[in-house]
Amino acid sequence: MLAYDFMRKALIAGFMLSIMIPLIGVVMVNRKTSMVGDALSHTSLAGVAVGLIMGFDPVIGAIIACIVSAFSIEKIRKKFPQYGDMATAVIMSTGLGLAALLSNFAPGGNTFESYLFGSISSVTTIDLINVGIVFIIVVAFSVIYYGALLDISIDLNLARLSGVNIKLINNVFTLLTAITVALACKIVGALLVASLLVLPVATSLLICRSYKQTLKLSIILGVIYMFFGICMSYWFDVKPGGAIVINAVIGMLILFSLNKIKKRKRI
């Protein structure tokens, strides 16, 4: 398996993404904004279609679409705070509508389809470099501003009292979320990125008692799910996104069952 260059690239990119995505997912789940990831992953398809039609890298189109969508959601949420979910639904619907229309004009149906459910053979050296750069930035941001992200995740008032520059942290976090989701579309698939944002974190919350424990376990689970998903994609010739998500669901069910058994033994 490792004898093939495309598999080495897919595994390296997947490893970095499996750390980046849970780092962002933990904050989103705790802020109750996990559906924003779903909206961004769907609207990224519009950017992919534009890239294919215009003849430039679809990932760049996905990044632009995700950034515009992410900040649009934030703007609508601020203007209509009582309708937070509405902002996510409006942007997701708009993005999906554009993607559906533009996909009819995108050359190479298989190419567009690969962004729906992911593809291990399409990862290029440029993709690897791009993921590597964003990986360093996301990890550095998560480590340096760990306390600020923790405060924002728990309560905005607490963050203000702690002296956190909420506007700056939110803007940087929103930007990194948009870019990470767009980059993940090529391996995980646009329709399934949101699942990887939520499932490792949801599994960790079943057994962890602190934010730090949840963060660590989410990263470990993200790496395991990504690795086995990519390997299954190679061995059984299935879409990597589907394999990764199914692994995540199975992992959650196993840990949930073990946790229930452990609680019964205590009783």
Side-chain angles (χ1 to χ4, degrees):
M1 182 175 71
L2 293 177
Y4 296 101
D5 184 56
F6 76 91
M7 276 304 298
R8 291 195 296 271
K9 290 177 181 176
L11 286 170
I12 294 170
F15 174 75
M16 290 188 285
L17 286 169
S18 66
I19 295 174
M20 294 159 57
I21 294 173
L23 282 173
I24 289 170
V26 167
V27 178
M28 295 185 77
V29 170
N30 280 284
R31 290 174 66 187
K32 297 178 175 62
T33 57
S34 54
M35 288 306 296
V36 172
D38 198 31
L40 296 182
S41 62
H42 283 71
T43 53
S44 68
L45 289 171
V48 168
V50 171
L52 291 171
I53 293 168
M54 301 292 289
F56 60 86
D57 189 351
V59 174
I60 295 175
I63 290 173
I64 294 171
C66 282
I67 291 173
V68 172
S69 299
F71 282 99
S72 297
I73 289 172
E74 287 299 311
K75 191 170 183 179
I76 296 173
R77 282 166 60 87
K78 287 178 182 177
K79 195 165 186 179
F80 304 101
Q82 69 274 32
Y83 302 115
D85 291 340
M86 180 191 73
T88 306
V90 167
I91 296 301
M92 182 167 67
S93 300
T94 303
L96 274 175
L98 286 172
L101 287 174
L102 293 172
S103 64
N104 293 317
F105 304 98
N110 291 332
T111 304
F112 184 78
E113 186 183 343
S114 69
Y115 285 88
L116 294 175
F117 304 105
S119 172
I120 57 175
S121 61
S122 62
V123 180
T124 64
T125 303
I126 298 298
D127 292 326
L128 209 56
I129 293 170
N130 291 336
V131 172
I133 293 170
V134 179
F135 171 76
I136 293 170
I137 296 171
V138 169
V139 172
F141 177 73
S142 300
V143 172
I144 295 170
Y145 294 100
Y146 172 81
L149 291 170
L150 172 59
D151 290 341
I152 288 174
S153 300
I154 297 172
D155 187 76
L156 285 177
N157 291 324
L158 173 64
R160 288 191 185 94
L161 291 172
S162 301
V164 175
N165 188 336
I166 295 175
K167 185 176 181 180
L168 175 64
I169 298 298
N170 267 336
N171 285 339
V172 175
F173 180 77
T174 300
L175 178 65
L176 292 178
T177 299
I179 295 173
T180 300
V181 168
L183 290 175
C185 289
K186 204 159 192 179
I187 292 181
V188 183
L191 297 181
L192 300 167
V193 174
S195 300
L196 201 57
L197 277 168
V198 175
L199 290 176
V201 181
T203 306
S204 302
L205 287 171
L206 292 173
I207 56 177
C208 294
R209 297 184 178 181
S210 70
Y211 181 87
K212 185 178 287 187
Q213 287 180 349
T214 303
L215 183 62
K216 289 178 179 178
L217 185 57
S218 296
I219 292 171
I220 292 170
L221 292 175
V223 172
I224 293 171
Y225 298 153
M226 183 73 78
F227 176 78
F228 280 105
I230 291 174
C231 290
M232 284 176 63
S233 177
Y234 173 77
W235 290 327
F236 302 108
D237 192 26
V238 295
K239 299 294 184 183
I244 292 165
V245 170
I246 292 300
N247 277 322
V249 172
I250 292 171
M252 185 170 66
L253 291 174
I254 290 172
L255 285 178
F256 176 75
S257 301
L258 291 174
N259 193 42
K260 292 287 283 186
I261 293 170
K262 191 176 179 180
K263 285 182 178 178
R264 284 179 182 176
K265 284 184 177 179
R266 287 177 181 175
I267 297 171

